[in-house]
Each structure stands twice: as structure tokens, then as C-alpha cells.
Coordinates of all heavy atoms in Angstrom, one line a residue:
M1 N -20.7 -18.6 -18.1 CA -21.1 -18.4 -16.7 C -20.8 -16.9 -16.4 O -19.8 -16.4 -16.6 CB -20.2 -19.2 -15.8 CG -20.4 -20.7 -16.0 SD -21.7 -21.3 -14.9 CE -21.0 -23.0 -14.6
A2 N -21.8 -16.3 -15.9 CA -21.7 -14.8 -15.6 C -20.7 -14.6 -14.5 O -20.0 -13.5 -14.5 CB -23.1 -14.3 -15.1
L3 N -20.5 -15.5 -13.6 CA -19.5 -15.3 -12.5 C -18.1 -15.1 -13.0 O -17.3 -14.5 -12.4 CB -19.6 -16.5 -11.5 CG -20.8 -16.4 -10.6 CD1 -20.8 -17.7 -9.8 CD2 -20.7 -15.3 -9.6
A4 N -17.8 -15.7 -14.1 CA -16.5 -15.6 -14.6 C -16.1 -14.2 -15.2 O -14.9 -14.0 -15.5 CB -16.3 -16.7 -15.7
N5 N -17.0 -13.4 -15.2 CA -16.7 -12.0 -15.7 C -15.9 -11.2 -14.7 O -15.4 -10.1 -15.1 CB -18.0 -11.3 -16.0 CG -18.5 -11.6 -17.4 OD1 -17.7 -12.0 -18.2 ND2 -19.8 -11.4 -17.6
H6 N -15.7 -11.6 -13.5 CA -15.0 -10.8 -12.6 C -13.5 -10.8 -12.9 O -12.9 -11.9 -13.0 CB -15.2 -11.3 -11.2 CG -16.0 -10.4 -10.4 ND1 -17.4 -10.6 -10.3 CD2 -15.7 -9.3 -9.6 CE1 -17.9 -9.6 -9.5 NE2 -16.9 -8.8 -9.1
D7 N -12.9 -9.7 -13.0 CA -11.5 -9.6 -13.3 C -10.7 -9.5 -12.0 O -10.8 -8.5 -11.3 CB -11.2 -8.3 -14.1 CG -9.7 -8.2 -14.5 OD1 -9.0 -9.2 -14.2 OD2 -9.3 -7.2 -15.0
R8 N -10.1 -10.6 -11.7 CA -9.4 -10.6 -10.4 C -7.9 -10.5 -10.5 O -7.1 -10.7 -9.6 CB -9.7 -12.0 -9.7 CG -11.1 -12.1 -9.3 CD -11.4 -13.6 -9.0 NE -10.2 -14.2 -8.3 CZ -10.1 -15.5 -8.1 NH1 -11.0 -16.3 -8.6 NH2 -9.0 -16.0 -7.5
S9 N -7.5 -10.0 -11.7 CA -6.0 -9.9 -12.0 C -5.4 -8.9 -11.1 O -4.2 -9.0 -10.7 CB -5.8 -9.7 -13.4 OG -6.3 -8.5 -13.8
K10 N -6.1 -7.8 -10.8 CA -5.5 -6.7 -10.1 C -6.2 -6.5 -8.8 O -7.4 -6.3 -8.8 CB -5.5 -5.4 -10.9 CG -4.4 -5.3 -11.9 CD -4.0 -3.9 -12.1 CE -2.7 -3.9 -13.0 NZ -2.3 -2.5 -13.2
P11 N -5.5 -6.5 -7.7 CA -6.2 -6.2 -6.4 C -6.6 -4.7 -6.3 O -6.0 -3.9 -7.0 CB -5.1 -6.5 -5.3 CG -3.8 -6.5 -6.1 CD -4.1 -6.8 -7.5
V12 N -7.4 -4.4 -5.4 CA -8.0 -3.1 -5.2 C -7.2 -2.4 -4.0 O -6.8 -3.1 -3.1 CB -9.5 -3.2 -4.9 CG1 -10.0 -1.9 -4.3 CG2 -10.2 -3.5 -6.2
C13 N -7.1 -1.1 -4.1 CA -6.5 -0.3 -3.1 C -7.1 -0.6 -1.7 O -8.3 -0.7 -1.6 CB -6.6 1.2 -3.4 SG -5.9 2.3 -2.3
D14 N -6.3 -0.7 -0.7 CA -6.8 -1.1 0.6 C -7.1 0.1 1.5 O -7.4 0.0 2.7 CB -5.7 -1.9 1.4 CG -5.7 -3.3 0.9 OD1 -6.8 -3.9 0.6 OD2 -4.6 -3.9 0.7
V15 N -7.0 1.3 0.9 CA -7.3 2.5 1.7 C -8.8 2.7 1.8 O -9.6 2.4 0.9 CB -6.7 3.8 1.1 CG1 -7.2 5.1 1.8 CG2 -5.2 3.7 1.1
D16 N -9.3 3.0 3.0 CA -10.7 3.2 3.3 C -11.4 4.1 2.3 O -10.9 5.2 2.1 CB -10.8 3.7 4.7 CG -12.2 3.5 5.2 OD1 -12.9 2.6 4.7 OD2 -12.6 4.2 6.1
G17 N -12.4 3.7 1.7 CA -13.2 4.5 0.7 C -12.7 4.5 -0.7 O -13.2 5.3 -1.5
C18 N -11.6 3.8 -1.0 CA -11.0 3.8 -2.3 C -11.2 2.5 -3.0 O -11.0 1.4 -2.4 CB -9.5 4.1 -2.2 SG -8.7 4.3 -3.8
N19 N -11.6 2.5 -4.2 CA -11.8 1.3 -5.0 C -11.0 1.3 -6.3 O -11.3 0.6 -7.2 CB -13.3 1.1 -5.4 CG -14.1 0.7 -4.1 OD1 -13.8 -0.2 -3.4 ND2 -15.2 1.5 -3.9
C20 N -9.9 2.0 -6.3 CA -9.1 2.0 -7.5 C -8.2 0.8 -7.5 O -7.9 0.2 -6.5 CB -8.2 3.3 -7.4 SG -9.1 4.8 -7.4
E21 N -7.7 0.5 -8.7 CA -6.8 -0.6 -8.8 C -5.5 -0.3 -8.1 O -5.0 0.8 -8.2 CB -6.4 -0.8 -10.3 CG -7.3 -1.8 -11.0 CD -6.8 -2.0 -12.5 OE1 -5.8 -1.4 -12.8 OE2 -7.6 -2.6 -13.2
S22 N -5.0 -1.3 -7.4 CA -3.7 -1.0 -6.7 C -2.5 -1.0 -7.7 O -2.5 -1.7 -8.7 CB -3.5 -2.0 -5.6 OG -3.1 -3.2 -6.2
E23 N -1.6 -0.2 -7.3 CA -0.4 0.0 -8.1 C 0.8 -0.8 -7.5 O 1.5 -1.4 -8.2 CB -0.1 1.5 -8.2 CG 1.0 1.8 -9.1 CD 0.6 1.8 -10.6 OE1 -0.6 1.6 -10.8 OE2 1.4 2.0 -11.5
R24 N 0.9 -0.7 -6.2 CA 2.0 -1.4 -5.5 C 1.4 -1.9 -4.2 O 0.4 -1.5 -3.7 CB 3.1 -0.3 -5.2 CG 3.8 0.1 -6.4 CD 4.5 1.4 -6.0 NE 5.1 2.0 -7.2 CZ 6.4 1.9 -7.4 NH1 7.2 1.4 -6.5 NH2 6.9 2.4 -8.5
S25 N 2.2 -2.8 -3.6 CA 1.9 -3.3 -2.3 C 3.0 -3.0 -1.3 O 4.2 -3.0 -1.7 CB 1.5 -4.8 -2.3 OG 2.6 -5.5 -2.7
F26 N 2.6 -2.8 -0.1 CA 3.6 -2.5 0.9 C 3.4 -3.3 2.2 O 2.3 -3.8 2.4 CB 3.5 -1.0 1.3 CG 3.8 -0.1 0.2 CD1 2.8 0.3 -0.7 CD2 5.1 0.4 0.1 CE1 3.1 1.2 -1.7 CE2 5.4 1.3 -1.0 CZ 4.4 1.7 -1.9
N27 N 4.4 -3.4 2.9 CA 4.3 -4.0 4.2 C 3.5 -3.1 5.1 O 3.7 -1.9 5.1 CB 5.7 -4.2 4.8 CG 5.7 -5.1 6.0 OD1 5.2 -4.7 7.1 ND2 6.3 -6.3 5.9
I28 N 2.7 -3.7 6.0 CA 1.8 -2.9 6.8 C 2.6 -2.0 7.7 O 2.2 -0.9 8.1 CB 0.9 -3.9 7.7 CG1 0.0 -3.1 8.6 CG2 1.7 -4.9 8.5 CD1 -1.0 -2.2 7.8
K29 N 3.8 -2.4 8.1 CA 4.6 -1.6 9.0 C 5.0 -0.3 8.3 O 5.1 0.7 9.0 CB 5.9 -2.4 9.4 CG 5.7 -3.5 10.4 CD 7.0 -4.0 10.8 CE 6.9 -5.4 11.3 NZ 8.2 -6.1 11.3
Q30 N 5.2 -0.4 7.0 CA 5.6 0.9 6.3 C 4.4 1.8 6.2 O 4.5 3.0 6.5 CB 6.0 0.5 4.9 CG 7.3 -0.3 4.8 CD 7.6 -0.7 3.4 OE1 7.1 -1.7 2.9 NE2 8.4 0.0 2.7
V31 N 3.2 1.2 5.9 CA 2.0 2.1 5.7 C 1.5 2.6 7.0 O 1.0 3.7 7.1 CB 1.0 1.3 5.0 CG1 -0.3 2.1 4.8 CG2 1.5 0.8 3.6
S32 N 1.7 1.9 8.1 CA 1.1 2.3 9.4 C 1.9 3.6 9.9 O 1.4 4.2 10.8 CB 1.2 1.2 10.4 OG 2.5 0.8 10.6
R33 N 3.0 3.9 9.3 CA 3.7 5.1 9.6 C 3.0 6.4 9.0 O 3.2 7.5 9.5 CB 5.1 5.1 9.1 CG 5.9 4.1 9.8 CD 7.4 4.3 9.5 NE 7.8 5.7 9.9 CZ 9.0 6.1 10.0 NH1 10.0 5.3 9.7 NH2 9.3 7.3 10.4
S34 N 2.2 6.2 8.0 CA 1.5 7.3 7.4 C 0.1 7.4 8.0 O -0.3 6.6 8.9 CB 1.3 7.0 5.9 OG 0.4 6.0 5.7
S35 N -0.7 8.4 7.6 CA -2.0 8.6 8.2 C -3.1 8.0 7.4 O -4.3 8.2 7.6 CB -2.2 10.1 8.3 OG -2.3 10.7 7.0
L36 N -2.7 7.2 6.4 CA -3.7 6.5 5.6 C -4.5 5.5 6.4 O -4.0 4.8 7.2 CB -3.1 5.7 4.4 CG -2.3 6.6 3.4 CD1 -1.6 5.6 2.5 CD2 -3.2 7.5 2.6
S37 N -5.8 5.6 6.3 CA -6.6 4.6 7.1 C -7.1 3.5 6.1 O -7.6 3.8 5.0 CB -7.8 5.3 7.7 OG -8.7 5.9 6.8
L38 N -7.0 2.3 6.6 CA -7.2 1.2 5.8 C -8.6 0.5 6.0 O -9.2 0.7 7.0 CB -6.2 0.1 6.0 CG -4.7 0.6 5.9 CD1 -3.7 -0.4 6.3 CD2 -4.5 1.1 4.5
K39 N -9.1 -0.2 5.0 CA -10.4 -0.8 5.1 C -10.4 -1.9 6.2 O -11.5 -2.0 6.8 CB -10.7 -1.5 3.7 CG -11.1 -0.6 2.6 CD -11.2 -1.3 1.3 CE -11.3 -0.3 0.2 NZ -11.0 -0.9 -1.1
S40 N -9.4 -2.6 6.3 CA -9.4 -3.6 7.4 C -8.1 -3.6 8.1 O -7.0 -3.3 7.6 CB -9.7 -5.0 6.8 OG -8.8 -5.2 5.7
E41 N -8.2 -4.0 9.4 CA -7.0 -4.1 10.2 C -6.4 -5.5 10.1 O -7.1 -6.4 9.8 CB -7.3 -3.7 11.6 CG -7.6 -2.2 11.8 CD -8.1 -1.9 13.1 OE1 -7.7 -2.5 14.1 OE2 -8.9 -0.9 13.2
G42 N -5.2 -5.6 10.5 CA -4.6 -7.0 10.5 C -4.1 -7.4 9.2 O -3.8 -8.6 9.0
L43 N -4.0 -6.5 8.2 CA -3.4 -6.9 7.0 C -1.9 -6.9 7.1 O -1.3 -6.2 7.9 CB -3.7 -5.8 5.9 CG -5.2 -5.7 5.4 CD1 -5.3 -4.4 4.6 CD2 -5.6 -6.9 4.7
R44 N -1.3 -7.8 6.4 CA 0.2 -7.9 6.4 C 0.7 -7.1 5.2 O 1.7 -6.4 5.3 CB 0.7 -9.3 6.3 CG 0.9 -9.9 7.6 CD 1.6 -11.2 7.5 NE 1.0 -12.3 8.2 CZ 1.2 -13.6 8.0 NH1 2.1 -13.9 7.1 NH2 0.7 -14.5 8.8
Q45 N 0.0 -7.2 4.1 CA 0.4 -6.6 2.9 C -0.7 -5.6 2.5 O -1.9 -5.9 2.5 CB 0.5 -7.7 1.8 CG 1.3 -7.2 0.6 CD 2.8 -7.3 0.9 OE1 3.2 -7.6 2.0 NE2 3.5 -7.1 -0.2
V46 N -0.3 -4.3 2.3 CA -1.3 -3.3 2.0 C -1.1 -2.9 0.5 O -0.1 -2.5 0.1 CB -1.1 -2.1 2.9 CG1 -2.1 -1.0 2.5 CG2 -1.3 -2.5 4.3
H47 N -2.2 -2.9 -0.2 CA -2.2 -2.5 -1.6 C -2.6 -1.0 -1.7 O -3.6 -0.6 -1.1 CB -3.2 -3.3 -2.5 CG -2.8 -4.7 -2.5 ND1 -3.3 -5.7 -1.7 CD2 -1.9 -5.4 -3.3 CE1 -2.8 -6.8 -1.9 NE2 -1.9 -6.7 -2.9
L48 N -1.8 -0.2 -2.5 CA -2.1 1.2 -2.7 C -2.2 1.5 -4.1 O -1.5 1.0 -5.0 CB -1.0 2.0 -2.1 CG -0.7 2.0 -0.6 CD1 0.4 2.9 -0.2 CD2 -2.0 2.3 0.2
C49 N -3.2 2.3 -4.5 CA -3.4 2.8 -5.8 C -2.4 3.9 -6.1 O -1.7 4.3 -5.2 CB -4.8 3.3 -6.1 SG -5.2 4.8 -5.1
K50 N -2.4 4.4 -7.3 CA -1.4 5.4 -7.7 C -1.5 6.6 -6.8 O -0.5 7.1 -6.3 CB -1.7 5.8 -9.1 CG -0.4 5.7 -10.0 CD -0.8 6.2 -11.4 CE -0.5 5.0 -12.4 NZ -0.9 5.3 -13.8
E51 N -2.8 7.1 -6.6 CA -3.0 8.3 -5.8 C -2.5 8.1 -4.4 O -1.9 9.0 -3.8 CB -4.5 8.7 -5.9 CG -4.9 9.3 -7.2 CD -4.0 10.4 -7.6 OE1 -3.8 11.3 -6.8 OE2 -3.4 10.3 -8.7
H52 N -2.9 7.0 -3.8 CA -2.5 6.8 -2.4 C -1.1 6.5 -2.2 O -0.5 6.7 -1.2 CB -3.4 5.7 -1.8 CG -4.8 6.2 -1.5 ND1 -5.9 5.7 -2.0 CD2 -5.2 7.3 -0.7 CE1 -7.0 6.5 -1.6 NE2 -6.5 7.4 -0.8
Y53 N -0.5 5.9 -3.2 CA 0.9 5.7 -3.2 C 1.7 7.0 -3.2 O 2.6 7.2 -2.4 CB 1.4 4.9 -4.4 CG 2.9 4.8 -4.6 CD1 3.7 4.3 -3.6 CD2 3.5 5.3 -5.8 CE1 5.0 4.2 -3.8 CE2 4.8 5.2 -5.9 CZ 5.6 4.7 -4.9 OH 7.0 4.6 -5.1
K54 N 1.1 8.0 -4.0 CA 1.7 9.3 -4.0 C 1.6 10.0 -2.6 O 2.5 10.6 -2.1 CB 1.0 10.2 -5.0 CG 1.7 10.3 -6.3 CD 1.1 11.4 -7.1 CE 0.6 10.9 -8.5 NZ -0.3 11.8 -9.1
A55 N 0.4 9.8 -2.1 CA 0.1 10.4 -0.7 C 1.0 9.8 0.3 O 1.6 10.5 1.2 CB -1.3 10.2 -0.4
Y56 N 1.2 8.5 0.2 CA 2.0 7.8 1.2 C 3.5 8.3 1.0 O 4.2 8.5 2.0 CB 1.9 6.3 0.9 CG 3.0 5.5 1.5 CD1 3.1 5.3 2.9 CD2 4.1 5.0 0.7 CE1 4.1 4.5 3.4 CE2 5.1 4.3 1.2 CZ 5.1 4.0 2.6 OH 6.2 3.3 3.1
K57 N 3.9 8.4 -0.2 CA 5.3 8.8 -0.4 C 5.6 10.2 0.1 O 6.6 10.5 0.6 CB 5.6 8.8 -1.9 CG 6.6 7.7 -2.3 CD 6.9 7.5 -3.7 CE 7.7 8.6 -4.3 NZ 7.9 8.4 -5.7
K58 N 4.6 11.1 -0.1 CA 4.7 12.5 0.4 C 4.9 12.5 1.9 O 5.7 13.2 2.4 CB 3.4 13.2 0.0 CG 3.6 14.6 -0.6 CD 2.2 15.2 -0.8 CE 2.2 16.1 -2.1 NZ 0.9 16.6 -2.3
E59 N 4.1 11.7 2.6 CA 4.1 11.7 4.0 C 5.4 11.1 4.5 O 5.8 11.5 5.6 CB 3.0 10.8 4.5 CG 1.7 11.5 4.5 CD 0.6 10.9 5.4 OE1 1.0 10.3 6.4 OE2 -0.5 10.9 5.0
T60 N 6.0 10.2 3.8 CA 7.2 9.6 4.3 C 8.4 10.2 3.7 O 9.5 9.6 3.7 CB 7.2 8.1 4.0 OG1 6.9 7.9 2.6 CG2 6.1 7.4 4.8
K61 N 8.3 11.4 3.1 CA 9.4 12.1 2.5 C 10.5 12.3 3.6 O 10.2 12.6 4.7 CB 8.9 13.4 2.0 CG 9.5 13.8 0.7 CD 8.9 15.1 0.2 CE 9.6 15.6 -1.0 NZ 9.1 16.9 -1.5
G62 N 11.7 12.2 3.2 CA 12.7 12.3 4.2 C 13.2 10.9 4.6 O 14.2 10.8 5.3
H63 N 12.4 9.9 4.3 CA 12.9 8.5 4.6 C 13.1 7.8 3.3 O 12.5 6.9 2.9 CB 11.8 7.8 5.4 CG 11.4 8.5 6.6 ND1 12.1 8.3 7.8 CD2 10.4 9.3 6.9 CE1 11.5 9.0 8.7 NE2 10.5 9.7 8.2
R64 N 14.1 8.3 2.6 CA 14.3 7.8 1.2 C 14.7 6.3 1.2 O 14.5 5.6 0.3 CB 15.4 8.6 0.5 CG 14.9 10.0 0.2 CD 15.9 10.8 -0.6 NE 16.2 10.1 -1.9 CZ 17.2 10.4 -2.7 NH1 18.0 11.4 -2.3 NH2 17.4 9.8 -3.8
Q65 N 15.3 5.9 2.3 CA 15.8 4.5 2.3 C 14.9 3.7 3.2 O 15.3 2.7 3.9 CB 17.2 4.5 2.9 CG 18.2 5.0 1.9 CD 19.6 4.9 2.3 OE1 19.9 5.3 3.5 NE2 20.5 4.4 1.5
I66 N 13.6 4.0 3.2 CA 12.7 3.4 4.1 C 12.7 1.8 3.9 O 12.6 1.1 4.9 CB 11.3 3.9 3.9 CG1 10.3 3.4 5.0 CG2 10.7 3.7 2.5 CD1 9.1 4.3 5.1
D67 N 12.8 1.4 2.7 CA 12.7 -0.1 2.5 C 13.9 -0.8 3.2 O 13.7 -1.8 3.9 CB 12.8 -0.4 1.0 CG 11.5 -0.1 0.3 OD1 10.5 -0.1 1.0 OD2 11.5 0.2 -0.9
Q68 N 15.1 -0.2 3.1 CA 16.2 -0.8 3.7 C 16.1 -0.7 5.2 O 16.5 -1.6 6.0 CB 17.5 -0.1 3.3 CG 17.9 -0.6 1.9 CD 18.8 0.4 1.2 OE1 19.4 1.3 1.8 NE2 19.0 0.2 -0.1
V69 N 15.6 0.4 5.7 CA 15.4 0.6 7.2 C 14.6 -0.5 7.7 O 14.9 -1.1 8.7 CB 14.8 2.0 7.5 CG1 14.4 2.1 8.9 CG2 15.8 3.1 7.1
Y70 N 13.5 -0.8 7.0 CA 12.6 -1.8 7.5 C 13.1 -3.2 7.4 O 12.8 -4.0 8.1 CB 11.2 -1.6 6.9 CG 10.4 -0.6 7.7 CD1 10.4 0.7 7.3 CD2 9.7 -1.0 8.8 CE1 9.7 1.7 8.1 CE2 9.1 -0.1 9.6 CZ 9.1 1.3 9.2 OH 8.4 2.2 10.0
D71 N 13.9 -3.4 6.4 CA 14.5 -4.7 6.2 C 15.4 -5.0 7.5 O 15.4 -6.1 8.0 CB 15.4 -4.7 5.0 CG 14.6 -5.0 3.7 OD1 13.4 -5.4 3.9 OD2 15.1 -4.8 2.6
D72 N 16.1 -3.9 7.9 CA 16.9 -4.1 9.1 C 16.1 -4.4 10.4 O 16.6 -5.1 11.2 CB 17.7 -2.8 9.4 CG 18.8 -2.7 8.3 OD1 19.1 -3.6 7.6 OD2 19.4 -1.6 8.2
F73 N 14.9 -3.9 10.4 CA 14.1 -4.1 11.6 C 13.6 -5.6 11.7 O 13.4 -6.1 12.8 CB 12.9 -3.2 11.6 CG 13.1 -1.9 12.3 CD1 13.1 -0.7 11.6 CD2 13.3 -1.9 13.7 CE1 13.3 0.5 12.2 CE2 13.5 -0.7 14.3 CZ 13.5 0.5 13.6
E74 N 13.5 -6.2 10.6 CA 12.9 -7.5 10.6 C 13.7 -8.6 11.1 O 14.9 -8.6 11.0 CB 12.4 -7.8 9.2 CG 11.1 -8.4 9.1 CD 9.9 -7.6 8.7 OE1 9.9 -7.1 7.6 OE2 9.0 -7.5 9.6
Ligands
ZN1 ZN1 -6.5 4.3 -3.2

């Protein structure tokens, strides 16, 4: 079956205009702090490719403990 050829093992980056394989996923609350614009709103989990993960990290520099900070918020 031709349909089975789709490789669904890796999700695609959720940043608008990007179709790279995602490297990591983040909580939307974390990503919404950056200026990355996403393909769709209302996501809970955002997938970022290597490049956008780098961009995201750059923007949130100075928040080294961001994961812990957000854990506390929840
Ligand atoms: Zn991307």
C-alpha cells in the first residue's frame, strides 16, 4: 500500500513555515515567551527542530532554570 510509506516516527517542527524534523518538544507556556510564531494556536505541546530550538534558547538566555521555574507555576 502506498499510504504506508509515510514515516510518522518523528513529528515536524511547529514553527510557522518550517518543515524540519522536530528535535524536542516544549510546553506552550515556555515557547510563548519567545517570538517564534507557530503554525497553529492552541497547542499544548510545541515541537521545535534543531534550528528553532537554538533560536528559542538564545531568546530565553538568562533563564537557565526555565524548566524548574515553569514547574513551580503549574
Ligand atoms: Zn523549525
Side-chain angles (χ1 to χ4, degrees):
M1 300 267 217
L3 281 174
N5 273 339
H6 253 92
D7 182 8
R8 295 166 36 194
S9 60
K10 281 210 172 180
V12 162
C13 179
D14 284 320
V15 174
D16 198 22
C18 183
N19 287 310
C20 299
E21 267 184 7
S22 77
E23 188 77 5
R24 291 160 184 256
S25 65
F26 294 88
N27 192 289
I28 182 64
K29 285 186 204 167
Q30 294 172 277
V31 178
S32 62
R33 292 194 58 163
S34 74
S35 64
L36 296 173
S37 61
L38 306 173
K39 284 170 190 165
S40 53
E41 289 171 32
L43 294 169
R44 268 192 228 165
Q45 198 79 353
V46 177
H47 297 96
L48 296 181
C49 66
K50 232 180 240 175
E51 285 309 305
H52 283 119
Y53 170 58
K54 260 193 238 164
Y56 163 74
K57 250 177 71 179
K58 228 185 213 173
E59 283 196 34
T60 53
K61 219 175 178 184
H63 301 277
R64 289 184 63 193
Q65 290 183 310
I66 189 161
D67 289 332
Q68 280 161 18
V69 168
Y70 274 92
D71 279 347
D72 288 345
F73 267 115
E74 224 105 59

